[in-house]
Amino acid sequence: MAWSMKDAIKTAKAAVKWSGEKDLTYRSYKRYKKKFGGPSIGFIIKRMKWSEFKSKYLGIERISAKERMLKKLEDNFCGHCKEKDNCKIELEDCDHWEYWKNQRNTG
């Protein structure tokens, strides 16, 4: 079967819905494709960058490597915070996060 970009877009949109994730990773796309079929990631990246594809056709913002690393740190911090069950504080207003972040930068 000859794939088209329409097929890739349809597959990617279905993969986002199926995975329940806000961002579509290579891994999620590959798992979806393996289970349900569709064009490969290679088909897509021969035509454009993966981040451009996600931005243009799926409305998923590009995330820089620095932002991705910060997000992982935030997830790690909040996941281990003793106050997480009753927390209603936005991360940027959290004193614990500020202290932890500053400790990482100075140590």
Side-chain angles (χ1 to χ4, degrees):
M1 173 179 202
W3 297 112
S4 69
M5 280 305 285
K6 286 183 181 182
D7 295 321
I9 295 164
K10 183 178 176 182
T11 301
K13 286 181 178 180
V16 169
K17 191 173 184 177
W18 175 78
S19 71
E21 298 172 0
K22 292 180 183 179
D23 189 13
L24 182 61
T25 62
Y26 278 152
R27 183 175 290 164
S28 295
Y29 185 88
K30 285 181 179 181
R31 281 188 288 157
Y32 180 86
K33 181 196 167 309
K34 184 176 181 180
K35 188 170 184 139
F36 300 104
S40 68
I41 286 180
F43 173 87
I44 296 168
I45 61 175
K46 283 181 183 175
R47 287 148 181 82
M48 64 178 56
K49 290 182 180 178
W50 179 247
S51 59
E52 290 173 358
F53 174 79
K54 293 190 313 180
S55 176
K56 184 175 181 178
Y57 296 113
L58 305 177
I60 298 173
E61 287 183 40
R62 290 184 184 183
I63 300 172
S64 71
K66 184 177 180 179
E67 290 171 319
R68 213 173 11 258
M69 183 184 76
L70 183 59
K71 179 68 176 135
K72 283 182 181 179
L73 288 173
E74 291 169 4
D75 291 345
N76 186 34
F77 171 78
C78 290
H80 292 91
C81 180
K82 293 177 184 176
E83 307 295 326
K84 71 180 176 184
D85 293 335
N86 299 316
C87 183
K88 295 188 179 8
I89 301 170
E90 292 293 323
L91 190 64
E92 55 270 358
D93 297 329
C94 177
D95 293 333
H96 302 294
W97 165 247
E98 283 300 318
Y99 175 78
W100 185 78
K101 188 171 64 172
N102 289 335
Q103 289 297 101
R104 287 186 54 82
N105 290 337
T106 60

